[in-house]
Amino acid sequence: MQVYCRYLNDLMTSARQTYPLLNPHTREKILDIPDCSNEQMLQAIERSKYAYKEMRALSSEKRSQILDKISERIAELREEFARVITLESGKPIRYSRGEVDRTIQTFKFSAIEARKLEGESIRLDAAANGAGRDAYTIFQPIGVVGAITPFNFPLNLVAHKVGPALAVGNTIIVKPAEKAPLSAVKLLEVMNEVGLPPYAYQVITGDGPRLGAILIDHPDVAKISFTGSPKVGKQIKSRAGLKKVTLELGNNSAIYVDKSVEEKIAEIVKKAVEGAFSYNGQVCISTQRIYVDKRISKQFIRIFKEATELLQYGNPFDDDTNLSALIDENAQRRIISWVHEAIGGGATLISGGELLQYGMKPTILLNVPASMKVSCEEVFGPVVIINEVETAEEALVEMNNSDYGLNAGLFTYVLPQALRFAHELEVGQVLVNDIPTLRFDHMPYGGIKSSGYGYEGIKYAMREMVNMKFISLNYDF
Ligand code: NAD
């Protein structure tokens, strides 16, 4: 029996009830998942607190070795993990393999950073009456971290919380997405083999609002690390009081393509089509809004349409599949209604605009008014808008005309323009000559406006999972 089945069976014995986990591609039941009870979450917190005593006593060398082993073991189980991701999320297998490869790196970076978390020395004699002291800072673990994760990267976004938490000596409880909990559970198989103290990593499956509230309210949980929708992120922040919180939320990512890169249009389109439609656009930094200089837009749109219509929709386990089922029927209904609203509001449909049995054709809309939901909200589906602009200034204004601020990209050979956009774009990350659908796992990654609060990217996540302590030694005493 698969390890995750055994673990889920164990949870099942005390769970309130179960719910059916559906395969997005067939909408058939994969397994019954325990909707864990409040008592199970409380017990997990108690166990985590106990495990923390052992965890915090480990040297950074030991923690680093454990993280290295986690990374190596996931590499050995690469195909198994990829298949679990595809099964539960409907992600085409090529992208699931990519997610596993990133997870291997996420733990590898965590192993490296575990050895490097260093404070600094402070010159106290720079202050009046400060002389005669040596002073420095150290970082200390905080204890139990509560992680709440989304369905779309069910392995790597768990790793982005687990790696940093273990690297600094914390313990962690993951409440994975109801729609895709298996990857987090399968990770237990690895954790049990690498010398990690028992219960340093735990998974509690089930209802988000109920189980999340226990993590948020419990005095023994020192931090909530959340990745998910802005709506839930805001609820968590307002409930968490003084508890440390990191929120990684949604976006309606934009790029600008200017005239100077005309000769590279085919290459840019290739990247942008990938950015718009990989995993059906169910990516927080999916390329959603494209602003193109009007002098090159006809050519851009023509190549974009051709490339989009070559994408293969199908079984996510087939190597050739680019697009597959959306996560559920609600997503299908919401997205198609937004497309209809945009067309009714004056946008031109260039391609797609139709639902498939469980998914949706990749959809391109031209010249969409900014007030339409496909522009101003996060679509989280296979829809991209292309708007023609007269000037770079117009593109910049439109890109910033958003409640969100995670990633943005632009393509230009004009250096002053690149620098101006880099400084003026209201986002956490600017990618010059790349699409916004780009994240390297060790880079700082966080949103402004409604896109987030705090940072991930191993080193940066670690800083949000520790307490800094200042120590002064008075040698003149
Ligand atoms: P979601 O917000 O519906 O759910 C995320 C998690 O929160 C789940 O585990 C869910 O059970 C839990 N949850 C739901 N209600 C809760 C509550 N009231 N209190 C506590 N927990 C609660 O998100 P989703 O649909 O799984 O994922 C899609 C969203 O995640 C998109 O908005 C996407 O942009 C965002 N996302 C952001 C990033 C990033 O790094 N910025 C990465 C991936 C996904």
Side-chain angles (χ1 to χ4, degrees), residues 148-152 157 175-178 208-209 212 226-230 232 235-236 248-250 284 378 380 406 439 445:
I148 304 175
T149 53
F151 77 83
N152 65 332
L157 291 181
K175 206 308 285 166
E178 290 93 319
F226 172 79
T227 302
S229 59
V232 175
Q235 286 168 8
I236 290 175
E248 294 287 345
L249 311 175
C284 56
E378 179 185 34
F380 220 58
L406 191 53
R439 177 182 183 183
Y445 184 73

Side-chain angles (χ1 to χ4, degrees), residues 252-255 287-291 375 385 398-399 401-402:
N252 57 353
S253 307
I255 53 174
T287 301
Q288 182 176 323
R289 300 180 293 148
I290 302 177
Y291 299 93
S375 177
I385 69 175
E398 285 306 321
M399 289 170 87
N401 181 15
S402 168

Side-chain angles (χ1 to χ4, degrees), residues 292-462:
V292 192
D293 188 306
K294 203 164 189 173
R295 290 169 293 178
I296 58 168
S297 62
K298 282 212 166 40
Q299 194 190 355
F300 185 92
I301 293 160
R302 181 179 51 76
I303 308 173
F304 201 100
K305 181 175 184 317
E306 282 165 12
T308 300
E309 289 175 355
L310 287 177
L311 295 175
Q312 297 282 331
Y313 178 93
N315 184 335
F317 283 102
D318 290 346
D319 285 336
D320 296 335
T321 296
N322 303 103
L323 285 119
S324 51
L326 287 163
I327 193 68
D328 61 21
E329 207 181 318
N330 287 343
Q332 276 183 301
R333 262 193 258 119
R334 176 184 57 76
I335 298 165
I336 197 71
S337 75
W338 288 11
V339 168
H340 291 156
E341 182 209 43
I343 295 167
T348 305
L349 181 68
I350 299 289
S351 187
E354 278 171 52
L355 291 182
L356 299 165
Q357 188 185 16
Y358 296 134
M360 183 174 174
K361 283 192 178 169
T363 297
I364 309 168
L365 292 164
L366 181 63
N367 292 332
V368 180
S371 60
M372 296 293 110
K373 292 198 189 70
V374 290
S375 177
C376 64
E377 299 279 334
E378 179 185 34
V379 175
F380 220 58
V383 178
V384 68
I385 69 175
I386 303 177
N387 281 13
E388 298 165 297
V389 289
E390 302 281 350
T391 62
E393 192 56 35
E394 187 186 340
L396 184 57
V397 169
E398 285 306 321
M399 289 170 87
N400 282 341
N401 181 15
S402 168
D403 288 341
Y404 300 101
L406 191 53
N407 276 14
L410 78 145
F411 287 92
T412 182
Y413 279 145
V414 182
L415 183 61
Q417 182 162 288
L419 291 173
R420 179 159 149 65
F421 272 64
H423 282 260
E424 298 293 327
L425 282 168
E426 295 165 4
V427 291
Q429 295 74 232
V430 175
L431 298 135
V432 178
N433 293 336
D434 268 308
I435 52 170
T437 319
L438 187 68
R439 177 182 183 183
F440 299 101
D441 291 286
H442 64 315
M443 75 186 215
Y445 184 73
I448 61 170
K449 300 188 192 172
S450 289
S451 287
Y453 181 79
Y455 283 87
E456 287 200 337
I458 317 308
K459 176 169 111 180
Y460 308 92
M462 284 163 66

Side-chain angles (χ1 to χ4, degrees), residues 165-202:
L166 301 182
V168 302
N170 293 323
T171 55
I172 186 160
I173 301 167
V174 176
K175 206 308 285 166
E178 290 93 319
K179 295 170 206 159
L182 298 181
S183 302
V185 175
K186 187 172 170 61
L187 202 51
L188 280 160
E189 180 179 333
V190 170
M191 298 298 180
N192 292 343
E193 292 175 357
V194 292
L196 193 67
Y199 302 117
Y201 171 75
Q202 295 178 84

Side-chain angles (χ1 to χ4, degrees), residues 33-293:
I33 301 293
D35 182 17
C36 288
S37 63
N38 295 0
E39 292 67 35
Q40 284 174 297
M41 182 58 97
L42 291 169
Q43 185 186 46
I45 295 169
E46 197 52 41
R47 286 172 167 168
S48 201
K49 210 174 118 185
Y50 183 78
Y52 173 58
K53 290 186 188 151
E54 209 177 323
M55 195 64 207
R56 70 173 301 174
L58 297 180
S59 67
S60 58
E61 185 208 18
K62 182 71 191 155
R63 295 197 300 264
S64 175
Q65 284 169 350
I66 290 171
L67 286 158
D68 262 332
K69 282 191 201 152
I70 296 170
S71 174
E72 284 156 19
R73 190 68 185 120
I74 295 172
E76 285 165 13
L77 299 173
R78 178 177 186 256
E79 193 59 21
E80 279 185 36
F81 269 107
R83 295 187 81 79
V84 171
I85 293 171
T86 293
L87 179 69
E88 64 179 345
S89 69
K91 183 175 286 185
I93 191 77
R94 61 164 75 177
Y95 298 120
S96 297
R97 291 190 186 113
E99 181 174 346
V100 181
D101 291 341
R102 284 184 56 191
T103 308
I104 294 164
Q105 287 196 57
T106 300
F107 280 111
K108 179 63 75 185
F109 283 126
S110 301
I112 293 167
E113 293 298 335
R115 294 175 190 250
K116 287 173 32 182
L117 186 66
E118 284 164 355
E120 59 182 349
S121 113
I122 317 278
R123 284 211 69 104
L124 285 194
D125 68 352
N129 307 323
R133 294 169 182 87
D134 284 334
Y136 59 99
T137 56
I138 59 169
F139 292 110
Q140 295 184 305
I142 53 174
V144 178
V145 174
I148 304 175
T149 53
F151 77 83
N152 65 332
F153 283 84
L155 185 64
N156 195 35
L157 291 181
V158 169
H160 264 283
K161 303 183 186 313
V162 176
L166 301 182
V168 302
N170 293 323
T171 55
I172 186 160
I173 301 167
V174 176
K175 206 308 285 166
E178 290 93 319
K179 295 170 206 159
L182 298 181
S183 302
V185 175
K186 187 172 170 61
L187 202 51
L188 280 160
E189 180 179 333
V190 170
M191 298 298 180
N192 292 343
E193 292 175 357
V194 292
L196 193 67
Y199 302 117
Y201 171 75
Q202 295 178 84
V203 181
I204 295 291
T205 55
D207 181 56
R210 182 175 54 81
L211 295 167
I214 299 176
L215 282 173
I216 299 162
D217 293 345
H218 202 291
D220 289 333
V221 176
K223 183 198 166 92
I224 298 294
S225 177
F226 172 79
T227 302
S229 59
K231 181 171 145 250
V232 175
K234 284 174 190 163
Q235 286 168 8
I236 290 175
K237 177 95 174 21
S238 61
R239 187 167 183 139
L242 289 180
K243 191 162 285 189
K244 282 183 195 287
V245 173
T246 300
L247 306 172
E248 294 287 345
L249 311 175
N251 199 35
N252 57 353
S253 307
I255 53 174
Y256 172 52
V257 183
D258 89 353
K259 170 96 171 60
S260 67
V261 292
E262 187 170 6
E263 74 201 47
K264 290 269 196 169
I265 279 193
E267 200 179 311
I268 295 167
V269 165
K270 193 162 173 261
K271 286 176 188 237
V273 167
E274 183 79 13
F277 300 123
S278 60
Y279 188 34
N280 314 305
Q282 296 171 127
V283 177
C284 56
I285 42 176
S286 184
T287 301
Q288 182 176 323
R289 300 180 293 148
I290 302 177
Y291 299 93
V292 192
D293 188 306

